[in-house]
Amino acid sequence: MKIDHMENKIDEMGDAHVSTSANNPLRDDAFDLSNEEKIARINEDVKSILQTLGMDLTDDSIKGTPQRVAKMFVNEIFGGLDPKRKPKASTFENKYKYGEMLVEKNITIYSTCEHHLLPIVGRAHVAYISKGSVIGLSKMNRIVDYFAKRPQVQERLTMQIVQELQNALGTQDVACVIDAKHLCVNSRGIRDIESSTVTSEFGGAFKETSVRREFLDYIKLETSF
Ligand SMILES: [Zn+2]
């Protein structure tokens, strides 16, 4: 990753990055239907779209597509809308008194752009400084994945990850940087295959330049085995 380029982008955006609500825009009745009922409805909806496009839904290759897409929407790529799927962010006492920064980097992100319903693919880098609690490393990946599995904008996803970890760990000292490709930009529209989008959220101590610098330096480290 070209970290200096990334830092420039972060500086440019600063605190002025496009801010949307920290919450996904859901209606009050979002969970009145069961997941099974949602799958049944979306099945009909996708059928209708394909029919309108002129596809022959009796063809063996695509007759299962509406049901497949419906299940994928509800259980997989938008499964993170369901609060019951939220990972329990159990924390532990920091017995060894490790007081430095902990960085979990290169967490794979598969999300979906809420404007085009096309994939957002990239990496998240998450860090925190313990104030007494620590969290399991795989929990950090699970939290990232839970919020990614929604129709998203990258700025909101970045903020949600930080807020969730701040609440779980009882400290403001949490940061997240996401570098991701948006297929709505890369594969259609202006078809810029090289561009990626960087978003960042720096809480508490990470607002200090030196702490932020340390975090970004760790992201830059090559991990080899
Ligand atoms: Zn888009």
Side-chain angles (χ1 to χ4, degrees):
M1 184 183 309
K2 298 170 265 359
I3 199 86
D4 290 327
H5 181 47
M6 194 167 104
E7 261 192 292
N8 286 342
K9 280 210 243 177
I10 290 170
D11 282 348
E12 264 171 38
M13 291 187 301
D15 290 333
H17 62 223
V18 186
S19 68
T20 50
S21 163
N23 297 317
N24 297 79
L26 281 171
R27 293 192 319 272
D28 290 342
D29 63 355
F31 303 105
D32 287 0
L33 293 176
S34 69
N35 286 340
E36 290 67 33
E37 289 168 325
K38 287 180 182 177
I39 289 169
R41 276 206 194 180
I42 295 171
N43 176 29
E44 294 306 316
D45 296 336
V46 176
K47 253 187 216 166
S48 168
I49 291 172
L50 294 175
Q51 250 147 12
T52 303
L53 289 171
M55 305 299 294
D56 177 6
L57 286 168
T58 63
D59 187 275
D60 276 347
S61 174
I62 60 164
K63 70 178 175 202
T65 299
Q67 176 73 359
R68 207 175 293 120
V69 171
K71 280 189 178 168
M72 178 183 74
F73 274 18
V74 173
N75 295 332
E76 295 177 272
I77 67 172
F78 301 138
L81 288 172
D82 185 350
K84 291 199 284 292
R85 291 200 173 101
K86 186 170 171 175
K88 275 217 170 59
S90 30
T91 54
F92 311 92
E93 191 192 338
N94 179 10
K95 288 210 175 99
Y96 29 85
K97 303 286 177 231
Y98 177 74
E100 298 297 323
M101 183 184 304
L102 186 146
V103 181
E104 178 86 349
K105 60 179 188 164
N106 294 325
I107 300 172
T108 305
I109 293 246
Y110 284 108
S111 189
T112 307
C113 149
E114 73 181 13
H115 303 125
H116 300 90
L117 300 186
L118 283 173
I120 300 171
V121 185
R123 304 248 183 230
H125 313 283
V126 182
Y128 71 91
I129 301 166
S130 174
K131 273 233 167 65
S133 303
V134 291
I135 191 164
L137 296 180
S138 67
K139 268 291 148 60
M140 296 166 76
N141 300 58
R142 280 182 220 280
I143 288 168
V144 168
D145 195 54
Y146 170 70
F147 288 106
K149 293 286 182 284
R150 297 176 172 191
Q152 274 293 17
V153 292
Q154 191 176 319
E155 297 89 329
R156 183 200 297 126
L157 174 60
T158 313
M159 290 162 66
Q160 286 174 331
I161 292 164
V162 168
Q163 284 167 7
E164 179 66 16
L165 283 164
Q166 284 174 330
N167 291 338
L169 290 160
T171 175
Q172 290 299 300
D173 302 344
V174 178
C176 177
V177 170
I178 296 179
D179 186 8
K181 285 185 176 288
H182 292 234
L183 265 61
C184 55
V185 176
N186 301 138
S187 73
R188 53 161 294 289
I190 63 165
R191 297 192 188 208
D192 182 348
I193 55 164
E194 288 300 321
S195 69
S196 70
T197 303
V198 179
T199 47
S200 61
E201 180 78 4
F202 298 108
F206 287 92
K207 292 187 192 299
E208 290 164 33
T209 309
S210 61
V211 179
R212 184 184 301 205
R213 177 78 244 171
E214 185 183 339
F215 172 39
L216 296 176
D217 282 347
Y218 289 138
I219 298 176
K220 198 163 45 171
L221 285 178
E222 292 283 341
T223 311
S224 52
F225 297 94

